[in-house]
Amino acid sequence: MKKSRWHWIPQVRSFSWRKLPIRGTPQYIARGLAAGVFAGLFPLFGLQTIVGVVLATLLKGNKLMAAAGTWISNPLTYVPILLFNFQIGRWLLNFDNLAFTTEAIADWQTFLEVGTEFIVALFTGCFVVGLFCAIASYFLCIPLIYYLRRHKTNQQLRQKMHHEQSSFRTKKLSPRETNRHNSNQKP
């Protein structure tokens, strides 16, 4: 039997929800995710996970979900996120003469040399967008957790019922039960 090219997806999905210790109330988990998303939207090069876990600790949220929430910014999304945040900060502060360049965020030294207006506009935008995304992720995460837990419980019940049915079928029948079973199956 040939395996599908995507045979590993159910295994990863099943591993992630069975093996990771994501325990607690949905609100506890959602607070951790929101803290991580908030921290992940700031240009804190290399410190986002630490800030996310500290915020989750202060908010009494799940620290593992906070670390995962910081993955919202990664090498593929970092520049677009910061550009968007900068534009929001520039618009809110009415700094029309500022321009965003990728060189300005290349490293800490260059970032600190671009000027306070650039940094203030960027951090203002990061705060506003981060706060909005953190609130949105909190309220989206709670029903998702309820759904996933209900799905997992239903799946476990189906597996248990299947196991019970298969064990019932394999149970050895007496000759009398075998005759009765065979007579019921004739057309």
Side-chain angles (χ1 to χ4, degrees), residues 38 64 91 133:
F38 182 78
L64 181 65
W91 175 72
C133 290

Side-chain angles (χ1 to χ4, degrees), residues 100-120:
F100 182 87
T101 61
T102 55
E103 291 82 26
I105 60 167
D107 58 49
W108 276 109
Q109 186 64 32
T110 310
F111 181 70
L112 295 174
E113 292 173 0
V114 293
T116 56
E117 281 188 352
F118 180 88
I119 294 172
V120 168

Side-chain angles (χ1 to χ4, degrees), residues 20-175:
L20 292 178
I22 303 177
R23 295 189 180 99
T25 65
Q27 293 78 10
Y28 169 75
I29 295 168
R31 279 193 302 270
L33 180 68
V37 167
F38 182 78
L41 292 173
F42 276 84
L44 304 169
F45 311 108
L47 300 173
Q48 292 171 326
T49 303
I50 295 168
V51 171
V53 169
V54 168
L55 283 173
T57 303
L58 294 173
L59 296 172
K60 295 182 171 97
N62 186 298
K63 293 159 199 67
L64 181 65
M65 288 303 289
T70 61
W71 298 343
I72 192 169
S73 63
N74 56 60
L76 297 175
T77 62
Y78 209 69
V79 172
I81 286 172
L82 293 183
L83 174 62
F84 180 75
N85 292 349
F86 176 78
Q87 295 299 341
I88 295 295
R90 190 179 81 145
W91 175 72
L92 287 172
L93 298 173
N94 203 20
F95 289 167
D96 295 330
N97 58 341
L98 285 179
F100 182 87
T101 61
T102 55
E103 291 82 26
I105 60 167
D107 58 49
W108 276 109
Q109 186 64 32
T110 310
F111 181 70
L112 295 174
E113 292 173 0
V114 293
T116 56
E117 281 188 352
F118 180 88
I119 294 172
V120 168
L122 180 60
F123 273 81
T124 301
C126 289
F127 181 80
V128 171
V129 173
L131 191 60
F132 176 79
C133 290
I135 291 169
S137 67
Y138 175 81
F139 285 109
L140 290 173
C141 184
I142 292 172
L144 178 65
I145 293 168
Y146 279 121
Y147 169 78
L148 290 172
R149 286 183 175 174
R150 190 171 42 249
H151 178 72
K152 183 178 178 181
T153 303
N154 289 342
Q155 188 177 20
Q156 288 172 343
L157 286 173
R158 280 192 301 271
Q159 287 175 350
K160 183 178 178 184
M161 287 176 57
H162 177 71
H163 177 71
E164 287 174 358
Q165 287 174 350
S166 64
S167 67
F168 178 74
R169 287 183 200 141
T170 59
K171 187 174 102 175
K172 191 170 184 175
L173 299 175
S174 68

